[in-house]
PDB file of all heavy atoms in Angstrom:
ATOM      1  N   LEU A   1      -9.296   1.567  -4.240  1.00 96.00           N
ATOM      2  CA  LEU A   1      -8.790   1.260  -5.584  1.00 96.00           C
ATOM      3  C   LEU A   1      -8.861  -0.232  -5.861  1.00 96.00           C
ATOM      4  O   LEU A   1      -9.169  -0.657  -6.997  1.00 96.00           O
ATOM      5  CB  LEU A   1      -7.337   1.740  -5.716  1.00 96.00           C
ATOM      6  CG  LEU A   1      -7.126   3.256  -5.762  1.00 96.00           C
ATOM      7  CD1 LEU A   1      -5.638   3.577  -5.788  1.00 96.00           C
ATOM      8  CD2 LEU A   1      -7.820   3.865  -6.986  1.00 96.00           C
ATOM      9  N   ARG A   2      -8.619  -1.023  -4.835  1.00 95.00           N
ATOM     10  CA  ARG A   2      -8.686  -2.485  -5.004  1.00 95.00           C
ATOM     11  C   ARG A   2     -10.119  -2.922  -5.268  1.00 95.00           C
ATOM     12  O   ARG A   2     -10.361  -3.807  -6.099  1.00 95.00           O
ATOM     13  CB  ARG A   2      -8.132  -3.160  -3.749  1.00 95.00           C
ATOM     14  CG  ARG A   2      -7.714  -4.599  -3.979  1.00 95.00           C
ATOM     15  CD  ARG A   2      -6.802  -5.072  -2.883  1.00 95.00           C
ATOM     16  NE  ARG A   2      -6.300  -6.394  -3.173  1.00 95.00           N
ATOM     17  CZ  ARG A   2      -6.425  -7.440  -2.360  1.00 95.00           C
ATOM     18  NH1 ARG A   2      -7.006  -7.288  -1.195  1.00 95.00           N
ATOM     19  NH2 ARG A   2      -5.937  -8.611  -2.692  1.00 95.00           N
ATOM     20  N   GLN A   3     -11.062  -2.329  -4.550  1.00 94.00           N
ATOM     21  CA  GLN A   3     -12.472  -2.648  -4.801  1.00 94.00           C
ATOM     22  C   GLN A   3     -12.875  -2.303  -6.224  1.00 94.00           C
ATOM     23  O   GLN A   3     -13.635  -3.032  -6.874  1.00 94.00           O
ATOM     24  CB  GLN A   3     -13.365  -1.876  -3.823  1.00 94.00           C
ATOM     25  CG  GLN A   3     -13.495  -2.487  -2.455  1.00 94.00           C
ATOM     26  CD  GLN A   3     -14.616  -1.830  -1.662  1.00 94.00           C
ATOM     27  OE1 GLN A   3     -15.694  -1.576  -2.191  1.00 94.00           O
ATOM     28  NE2 GLN A   3     -14.351  -1.547  -0.403  1.00 94.00           N
ATOM     29  N   LEU A   4     -12.366  -1.170  -6.695  1.00 95.00           N
ATOM     30  CA  LEU A   4     -12.696  -0.725  -8.052  1.00 95.00           C
ATOM     31  C   LEU A   4     -11.906  -1.471  -9.125  1.00 95.00           C
ATOM     32  O   LEU A   4     -12.110  -1.243 -10.323  1.00 95.00           O
ATOM     33  CB  LEU A   4     -12.425   0.781  -8.172  1.00 95.00           C
ATOM     34  CG  LEU A   4     -13.327   1.696  -7.333  1.00 95.00           C
ATOM     35  CD1 LEU A   4     -12.798   3.132  -7.364  1.00 95.00           C
ATOM     36  CD2 LEU A   4     -14.766   1.643  -7.850  1.00 95.00           C
ATOM     37  N   LYS A   5     -10.994  -2.355  -8.678  1.00 94.00           N
ATOM     38  CA  LYS A   5     -10.116  -3.102  -9.596  1.00 94.00           C
ATOM     39  C   LYS A   5      -9.358  -2.150 -10.521  1.00 94.00           C
ATOM     40  O   LYS A   5      -9.200  -2.388 -11.728  1.00 94.00           O
ATOM     41  CB  LYS A   5     -10.926  -4.114 -10.410  1.00 94.00           C
ATOM     42  CG  LYS A   5     -11.594  -5.157  -9.524  1.00 94.00           C
ATOM     43  CD  LYS A   5     -12.379  -6.172 -10.332  1.00 94.00           C
ATOM     44  CE  LYS A   5     -13.040  -7.194  -9.406  1.00 94.00           C
ATOM     45  NZ  LYS A   5     -13.838  -8.183 -10.139  1.00 94.00           N
ATOM     46  N   SER A   6      -8.887  -1.070  -9.899  1.00 95.00           N
ATOM     47  CA  SER A   6      -8.193  -0.035 -10.660  1.00 95.00           C
ATOM     48  C   SER A   6      -6.751  -0.438 -10.954  1.00 95.00           C
ATOM     49  O   SER A   6      -6.068  -1.023 -10.113  1.00 95.00           O
ATOM     50  CB  SER A   6      -8.210   1.273  -9.855  1.00 95.00           C
ATOM     51  OG  SER A   6      -7.358   2.229 -10.440  1.00 95.00           O
ATOM     52  N   GLU A   7      -6.292  -0.094 -12.168  1.00 95.00           N
ATOM     53  CA  GLU A   7      -4.896  -0.354 -12.528  1.00 95.00           C
ATOM     54  C   GLU A   7      -3.938   0.495 -11.708  1.00 95.00           C
ATOM     55  O   GLU A   7      -2.737   0.219 -11.652  1.00 95.00           O
ATOM     56  CB  GLU A   7      -4.689  -0.078 -14.022  1.00 95.00           C
ATOM     57  CG  GLU A   7      -5.457  -1.026 -14.931  1.00 95.00           C
ATOM     58  CD  GLU A   7      -5.216  -0.708 -16.403  1.00 95.00           C
ATOM     59  OE1 GLU A   7      -4.519   0.302 -16.682  1.00 95.00           O
ATOM     60  OE2 GLU A   7      -5.732  -1.449 -17.267  1.00 95.00           O
ATOM     61  N   ALA A   8      -4.473   1.510 -11.032  1.00 95.00           N
ATOM     62  CA  ALA A   8      -3.626   2.386 -10.219  1.00 95.00           C
ATOM     63  C   ALA A   8      -3.255   1.757  -8.886  1.00 95.00           C
ATOM     64  O   ALA A   8      -2.400   2.295  -8.166  1.00 95.00           O
ATOM     65  CB  ALA A   8      -4.349   3.713  -9.976  1.00 95.00           C
ATOM     66  N   PHE A   9      -3.875   0.608  -8.559  1.00 96.00           N
ATOM     67  CA  PHE A   9      -3.645   0.027  -7.220  1.00 96.00           C
ATOM     68  C   PHE A   9      -2.182  -0.337  -6.983  1.00 96.00           C
ATOM     69  O   PHE A   9      -1.574   0.081  -6.000  1.00 96.00           O
ATOM     70  CB  PHE A   9      -4.530  -1.202  -7.024  1.00 96.00           C
ATOM     71  CG  PHE A   9      -4.171  -1.978  -5.777  1.00 96.00           C
ATOM     72  CD1 PHE A   9      -4.518  -1.500  -4.523  1.00 96.00           C
ATOM     73  CD2 PHE A   9      -3.439  -3.165  -5.859  1.00 96.00           C
ATOM     74  CE1 PHE A   9      -4.164  -2.195  -3.371  1.00 96.00           C
ATOM     75  CE2 PHE A   9      -3.087  -3.863  -4.726  1.00 96.00           C
ATOM     76  CZ  PHE A   9      -3.448  -3.378  -3.476  1.00 96.00           C
ATOM     77  N   THR A  10      -1.596  -1.138  -7.874  1.00 96.00           N
ATOM     78  CA  THR A  10      -0.233  -1.627  -7.635  1.00 96.00           C
ATOM     79  C   THR A  10       0.791  -0.496  -7.570  1.00 96.00           C
ATOM     80  O   THR A  10       1.596  -0.447  -6.618  1.00 96.00           O
ATOM     81  CB  THR A  10       0.156  -2.657  -8.719  1.00 96.00           C
ATOM     82  OG1 THR A  10      -0.753  -3.769  -8.644  1.00 96.00           O
ATOM     83  CG2 THR A  10       1.579  -3.153  -8.499  1.00 96.00           C
ATOM     84  N   PRO A  11       0.809   0.436  -8.517  1.00 96.00           N
ATOM     85  CA  PRO A  11       1.780   1.521  -8.388  1.00 96.00           C
ATOM     86  C   PRO A  11       1.545   2.386  -7.143  1.00 96.00           C
ATOM     87  O   PRO A  11       2.499   2.852  -6.519  1.00 96.00           O
ATOM     88  CB  PRO A  11       1.594   2.340  -9.674  1.00 96.00           C
ATOM     89  CG  PRO A  11       0.312   1.881 -10.279  1.00 96.00           C
ATOM     90  CD  PRO A  11       0.116   0.492  -9.829  1.00 96.00           C
ATOM     91  N   ARG A  12       0.272   2.570  -6.751  1.00 96.00           N
ATOM     92  CA  ARG A  12      -0.002   3.357  -5.536  1.00 96.00           C
ATOM     93  C   ARG A  12       0.530   2.610  -4.307  1.00 96.00           C
ATOM     94  O   ARG A  12       1.087   3.226  -3.402  1.00 96.00           O
ATOM     95  CB  ARG A  12      -1.500   3.603  -5.412  1.00 96.00           C
ATOM     96  CG  ARG A  12      -1.908   4.342  -4.134  1.00 96.00           C
ATOM     97  CD  ARG A  12      -1.579   5.819  -4.199  1.00 96.00           C
ATOM     98  NE  ARG A  12      -2.385   6.498  -5.182  1.00 96.00           N
ATOM     99  CZ  ARG A  12      -3.622   6.968  -4.972  1.00 96.00           C
ATOM    100  NH1 ARG A  12      -4.199   6.820  -3.801  1.00 96.00           N
ATOM    101  NH2 ARG A  12      -4.262   7.580  -5.942  1.00 96.00           N
ATOM    102  N   LEU A  13       0.350   1.297  -4.256  1.00 97.00           N
ATOM    103  CA  LEU A  13       0.866   0.507  -3.133  1.00 97.00           C
ATOM    104  C   LEU A  13       2.384   0.636  -3.046  1.00 97.00           C
ATOM    105  O   LEU A  13       2.951   0.791  -1.957  1.00 97.00           O
ATOM    106  CB  LEU A  13       0.463  -0.962  -3.285  1.00 97.00           C
ATOM    107  CG  LEU A  13       1.061  -1.932  -2.255  1.00 97.00           C
ATOM    108  CD1 LEU A  13       0.665  -1.545  -0.827  1.00 97.00           C
ATOM    109  CD2 LEU A  13       0.627  -3.375  -2.559  1.00 97.00           C
ATOM    110  N   GLN A  14       3.053   0.593  -4.190  1.00 96.00           N
ATOM    111  CA  GLN A  14       4.520   0.714  -4.195  1.00 96.00           C
ATOM    112  C   GLN A  14       4.954   2.085  -3.683  1.00 96.00           C
ATOM    113  O   GLN A  14       5.948   2.196  -2.954  1.00 96.00           O
ATOM    114  CB  GLN A  14       5.044   0.470  -5.608  1.00 96.00           C
ATOM    115  CG  GLN A  14       4.867  -0.970  -6.067  1.00 96.00           C
ATOM    116  CD  GLN A  14       5.177  -1.155  -7.549  1.00 96.00           C
ATOM    117  OE1 GLN A  14       5.309  -0.170  -8.309  1.00 96.00           O
ATOM    118  NE2 GLN A  14       5.274  -2.403  -7.984  1.00 96.00           N
ATOM    119  N   VAL A  15       4.200   3.114  -4.014  1.00 96.00           N
ATOM    120  CA  VAL A  15       4.512   4.464  -3.514  1.00 96.00           C
ATOM    121  C   VAL A  15       4.354   4.509  -2.001  1.00 96.00           C
ATOM    122  O   VAL A  15       5.206   5.040  -1.279  1.00 96.00           O
ATOM    123  CB  VAL A  15       3.604   5.520  -4.185  1.00 96.00           C
ATOM    124  CG1 VAL A  15       3.734   6.857  -3.480  1.00 96.00           C
ATOM    125  CG2 VAL A  15       3.948   5.659  -5.664  1.00 96.00           C
ATOM    126  N   VAL A  16       3.258   3.953  -1.505  1.00 97.00           N
ATOM    127  CA  VAL A  16       3.012   3.954  -0.058  1.00 97.00           C
ATOM    128  C   VAL A  16       4.103   3.166   0.662  1.00 97.00           C
ATOM    129  O   VAL A  16       4.612   3.598   1.707  1.00 97.00           O
ATOM    130  CB  VAL A  16       1.617   3.373   0.247  1.00 97.00           C
ATOM    131  CG1 VAL A  16       1.433   3.161   1.752  1.00 97.00           C
ATOM    132  CG2 VAL A  16       0.528   4.291  -0.285  1.00 97.00           C
ATOM    133  N   GLN A  17       4.490   2.030   0.103  1.00 97.00           N
ATOM    134  CA  GLN A  17       5.558   1.232   0.728  1.00 97.00           C
ATOM    135  C   GLN A  17       6.867   2.008   0.764  1.00 97.00           C
ATOM    136  O   GLN A  17       7.589   1.995   1.766  1.00 97.00           O
ATOM    137  CB  GLN A  17       5.742  -0.078  -0.050  1.00 97.00           C
ATOM    138  CG  GLN A  17       4.625  -1.075   0.149  1.00 97.00           C
ATOM    139  CD  GLN A  17       4.807  -2.303  -0.725  1.00 97.00           C
ATOM    140  OE1 GLN A  17       5.337  -2.216  -1.854  1.00 97.00           O
ATOM    141  NE2 GLN A  17       4.365  -3.441  -0.240  1.00 97.00           N
ATOM    142  N   ARG A  18       7.170   2.696  -0.319  1.00 96.00           N
ATOM    143  CA  ARG A  18       8.426   3.451  -0.384  1.00 96.00           C
ATOM    144  C   ARG A  18       8.430   4.598   0.631  1.00 96.00           C
ATOM    145  O   ARG A  18       9.437   4.848   1.305  1.00 96.00           O
ATOM    146  CB  ARG A  18       8.627   3.995  -1.800  1.00 96.00           C
ATOM    147  CG  ARG A  18       9.992   4.666  -2.009  1.00 96.00           C
ATOM    148  CD  ARG A  18      10.276   4.941  -3.475  1.00 96.00           C
ATOM    149  NE  ARG A  18       9.325   5.892  -4.060  1.00 96.00           N
ATOM    150  CZ  ARG A  18       8.360   5.549  -4.921  1.00 96.00           C
ATOM    151  NH1 ARG A  18       8.214   4.292  -5.296  1.00 96.00           N
ATOM    152  NH2 ARG A  18       7.532   6.467  -5.407  1.00 96.00           N
ATOM    153  N   LEU A  19       7.307   5.281   0.771  1.00 94.00           N
ATOM    154  CA  LEU A  19       7.224   6.389   1.728  1.00 94.00           C
ATOM    155  C   LEU A  19       7.307   5.903   3.170  1.00 94.00           C
ATOM    156  O   LEU A  19       7.827   6.597   4.044  1.00 94.00           O
ATOM    157  CB  LEU A  19       5.915   7.162   1.509  1.00 94.00           C
ATOM    158  CG  LEU A  19       5.798   7.936   0.203  1.00 94.00           C
ATOM    159  CD1 LEU A  19       4.388   8.511   0.041  1.00 94.00           C
ATOM    160  CD2 LEU A  19       6.836   9.068   0.145  1.00 94.00           C
ATOM    161  N   ALA A  20       6.778   4.690   3.425  1.00 96.00           N
ATOM    162  CA  ALA A  20       6.773   4.158   4.793  1.00 96.00           C
ATOM    163  C   ALA A  20       8.082   3.502   5.181  1.00 96.00           C
ATOM    164  O   ALA A  20       8.347   3.311   6.369  1.00 96.00           O
ATOM    165  CB  ALA A  20       5.636   3.146   4.936  1.00 96.00           C
ATOM    166  N   ALA A  21       8.920   3.154   4.219  1.00 96.00           N
ATOM    167  CA  ALA A  21      10.053   2.259   4.446  1.00 96.00           C
ATOM    168  C   ALA A  21      11.112   2.801   5.394  1.00 96.00           C
ATOM    169  O   ALA A  21      11.951   2.042   5.885  1.00 96.00           O
ATOM    170  CB  ALA A  21      10.700   1.893   3.105  1.00 96.00           C
ATOM    171  N   THR A  22      11.094   4.095   5.696  1.00 94.00           N
ATOM    172  CA  THR A  22      12.111   4.664   6.592  1.00 94.00           C
ATOM    173  C   THR A  22      11.577   4.899   7.999  1.00 94.00           C
ATOM    174  O   THR A  22      12.272   5.465   8.832  1.00 94.00           O
ATOM    175  CB  THR A  22      12.628   6.003   6.035  1.00 94.00           C
ATOM    176  OG1 THR A  22      11.515   6.901   5.859  1.00 94.00           O
ATOM    177  CG2 THR A  22      13.327   5.791   4.696  1.00 94.00           C
ATOM    178  N   ASN A  23      10.347   4.451   8.249  1.00 95.00           N
ATOM    179  CA  ASN A  23       9.716   4.688   9.547  1.00 95.00           C
ATOM    180  C   ASN A  23       9.111   3.381  10.048  1.00 95.00           C
ATOM    181  O   ASN A  23       8.166   2.861   9.446  1.00 95.00           O
ATOM    182  CB  ASN A  23       8.631   5.770   9.410  1.00 95.00           C
ATOM    183  CG  ASN A  23       7.963   6.093  10.721  1.00 95.00           C
ATOM    184  OD1 ASN A  23       7.168   5.304  11.227  1.00 95.00           O
ATOM    185  ND2 ASN A  23       8.274   7.245  11.279  1.00 95.00           N
ATOM    186  N   ALA A  24       9.655   2.840  11.129  1.00 94.00           N
ATOM    187  CA  ALA A  24       9.252   1.506  11.590  1.00 94.00           C
ATOM    188  C   ALA A  24       7.766   1.402  11.917  1.00 94.00           C
ATOM    189  O   ALA A  24       7.104   0.447  11.477  1.00 94.00           O
ATOM    190  CB  ALA A  24      10.102   1.088  12.788  1.00 94.00           C
ATOM    191  N   PRO A  25       7.174   2.337  12.689  1.00 94.00           N
ATOM    192  CA  PRO A  25       5.731   2.224  12.930  1.00 94.00           C
ATOM    193  C   PRO A  25       4.913   2.286  11.647  1.00 94.00           C
ATOM    194  O   PRO A  25       3.889   1.606  11.524  1.00 94.00           O
ATOM    195  CB  PRO A  25       5.425   3.424  13.843  1.00 94.00           C
ATOM    196  CG  PRO A  25       6.721   3.708  14.537  1.00 94.00           C
ATOM    197  CD  PRO A  25       7.772   3.424  13.510  1.00 94.00           C
ATOM    198  N   ALA A  26       5.369   3.086  10.672  1.00 96.00           N
ATOM    199  CA  ALA A  26       4.652   3.162   9.398  1.00 96.00           C
ATOM    200  C   ALA A  26       4.753   1.840   8.643  1.00 96.00           C
ATOM    201  O   ALA A  26       3.777   1.380   8.033  1.00 96.00           O
ATOM    202  CB  ALA A  26       5.209   4.301   8.555  1.00 96.00           C
ATOM    203  N   VAL A  27       5.932   1.228   8.675  1.00 97.00           N
ATOM    204  CA  VAL A  27       6.100  -0.091   8.054  1.00 97.00           C
ATOM    205  C   VAL A  27       5.105  -1.075   8.659  1.00 97.00           C
ATOM    206  O   VAL A  27       4.431  -1.838   7.953  1.00 97.00           O
ATOM    207  CB  VAL A  27       7.543  -0.602   8.229  1.00 97.00           C
ATOM    208  CG1 VAL A  27       7.641  -2.086   7.855  1.00 97.00           C
ATOM    209  CG2 VAL A  27       8.512   0.208   7.380  1.00 97.00           C
ATOM    210  N   ALA A  28       5.007  -1.062   9.995  1.00 96.00           N
ATOM    211  CA  ALA A  28       4.095  -1.982  10.681  1.00 96.00           C
ATOM    212  C   ALA A  28       2.651  -1.732  10.274  1.00 96.00           C
ATOM    213  O   ALA A  28       1.862  -2.672  10.101  1.00 96.00           O
ATOM    214  CB  ALA A  28       4.259  -1.843  12.192  1.00 96.00           C
ATOM    215  N   GLU A  29       2.300  -0.471  10.085  1.00 96.00           N
ATOM    216  CA  GLU A  29       0.930  -0.137   9.705  1.00 96.00           C
ATOM    217  C   GLU A  29       0.612  -0.628   8.298  1.00 96.00           C
ATOM    218  O   GLU A  29      -0.471  -1.181   8.053  1.00 96.00           O
ATOM    219  CB  GLU A  29       0.737   1.386   9.800  1.00 96.00           C
ATOM    220  CG  GLU A  29      -0.705   1.836   9.774  1.00 96.00           C
ATOM    221  CD  GLU A  29      -0.877   3.320  10.055  1.00 96.00           C
ATOM    222  OE1 GLU A  29       0.078   3.962  10.542  1.00 96.00           O
ATOM    223  OE2 GLU A  29      -1.982   3.840   9.782  1.00 96.00           O
ATOM    224  N   VAL A  30       1.544  -0.433   7.386  1.00 98.00           N
ATOM    225  CA  VAL A  30       1.340  -0.920   6.020  1.00 98.00           C
ATOM    226  C   VAL A  30       1.266  -2.448   6.013  1.00 98.00           C
ATOM    227  O   VAL A  30       0.402  -3.047   5.345  1.00 98.00           O
ATOM    228  CB  VAL A  30       2.458  -0.427   5.085  1.00 98.00           C
ATOM    229  CG1 VAL A  30       2.321  -1.063   3.701  1.00 98.00           C
ATOM    230  CG2 VAL A  30       2.430   1.092   4.973  1.00 98.00           C
ATOM    231  N   ALA A  31       2.147  -3.082   6.781  1.00 98.00           N
ATOM    232  CA  ALA A  31       2.162  -4.542   6.835  1.00 98.00           C
ATOM    233  C   ALA A  31       0.847  -5.079   7.378  1.00 98.00           C
ATOM    234  O   ALA A  31       0.293  -6.063   6.856  1.00 98.00           O
ATOM    235  CB  ALA A  31       3.320  -5.021   7.709  1.00 98.00           C
ATOM    236  N   ALA A  32       0.322  -4.450   8.431  1.00 97.00           N
ATOM    237  CA  ALA A  32      -0.947  -4.901   9.007  1.00 97.00           C
ATOM    238  C   ALA A  32      -2.078  -4.784   7.977  1.00 97.00           C
ATOM    239  O   ALA A  32      -2.949  -5.665   7.883  1.00 97.00           O
ATOM    240  CB  ALA A  32      -1.274  -4.091  10.253  1.00 97.00           C
ATOM    241  N   TRP A  33      -2.062  -3.688   7.208  1.00 97.00           N
ATOM    242  CA  TRP A  33      -3.091  -3.513   6.183  1.00 97.00           C
ATOM    243  C   TRP A  33      -2.987  -4.605   5.128  1.00 97.00           C
ATOM    244  O   TRP A  33      -3.999  -5.191   4.719  1.00 97.00           O
ATOM    245  CB  TRP A  33      -2.969  -2.133   5.543  1.00 97.00           C
ATOM    246  CG  TRP A  33      -4.040  -1.876   4.528  1.00 97.00           C
ATOM    247  CD1 TRP A  33      -5.278  -1.357   4.743  1.00 97.00           C
ATOM    248  CD2 TRP A  33      -3.972  -2.181   3.124  1.00 97.00           C
ATOM    249  NE1 TRP A  33      -5.990  -1.316   3.574  1.00 97.00           N
ATOM    250  CE2 TRP A  33      -5.223  -1.809   2.559  1.00 97.00           C
ATOM    251  CE3 TRP A  33      -2.983  -2.724   2.298  1.00 97.00           C
ATOM    252  CZ2 TRP A  33      -5.494  -1.963   1.211  1.00 97.00           C
ATOM    253  CZ3 TRP A  33      -3.263  -2.880   0.934  1.00 97.00           C
ATOM    254  CH2 TRP A  33      -4.506  -2.506   0.403  1.00 97.00           C
ATOM    255  N   MET A  34      -1.778  -4.894   4.675  1.00 97.00           N
ATOM    256  CA  MET A  34      -1.590  -5.918   3.647  1.00 97.00           C
ATOM    257  C   MET A  34      -2.023  -7.286   4.167  1.00 97.00           C
ATOM    258  O   MET A  34      -2.666  -8.059   3.450  1.00 97.00           O
ATOM    259  CB  MET A  34      -0.128  -5.945   3.188  1.00 97.00           C
ATOM    260  CG  MET A  34       0.307  -4.682   2.458  1.00 97.00           C
ATOM    261  SD  MET A  34       2.036  -4.728   1.920  1.00 97.00           S
ATOM    262  CE  MET A  34       1.968  -5.970   0.615  1.00 97.00           C
ATOM    263  N   GLN A  35      -1.677  -7.589   5.418  1.00 97.00           N
ATOM    264  CA  GLN A  35      -2.067  -8.876   5.984  1.00 97.00           C
ATOM    265  C   GLN A  35      -3.577  -9.002   6.093  1.00 97.00           C
ATOM    266  O   GLN A  35      -4.138 -10.079   5.894  1.00 97.00           O
ATOM    267  CB  GLN A  35      -1.418  -9.042   7.362  1.00 97.00           C
ATOM    268  CG  GLN A  35       0.095  -9.226   7.304  1.00 97.00           C
ATOM    269  CD  GLN A  35       0.770  -9.071   8.656  1.00 97.00           C
ATOM    270  OE1 GLN A  35       0.119  -9.087   9.693  1.00 97.00           O
ATOM    271  NE2 GLN A  35       2.090  -8.928   8.644  1.00 97.00           N
ATOM    272  N   ALA A  36      -4.246  -7.887   6.404  1.00 95.00           N
ATOM    273  CA  ALA A  36      -5.704  -7.908   6.537  1.00 95.00           C
ATOM    274  C   ALA A  36      -6.409  -7.926   5.189  1.00 95.00           C
ATOM    275  O   ALA A  36      -7.621  -8.165   5.130  1.00 95.00           O
ATOM    276  CB  ALA A  36      -6.169  -6.696   7.344  1.00 95.00           C
TER     277      ALA A  36
END
């Protein structure tokens, strides 16, 4: 979505962050992706 410069990117990222926020390994995985 980011490559396509889609307007759906930011809301999708927020959904993924919210779903991961209760699981520490998932948080780490999302964080690693954002850092990369």
Side-chain angles (χ1 to χ4, degrees):
L1 290 176
R2 200 162 186 236
Q3 279 192 43
L4 293 170
K5 298 181 180 179
S6 170
E7 295 180 356
F9 170 75
T10 299
R12 176 75 67 84
L13 174 59
Q14 292 170 348
V15 169
V16 171
Q17 288 176 327
R18 186 168 63 253
L19 292 173
T22 57
N23 182 287
V27 168
E29 195 172 345
V30 174
W33 183 88
M34 294 180 70
Q35 291 167 15

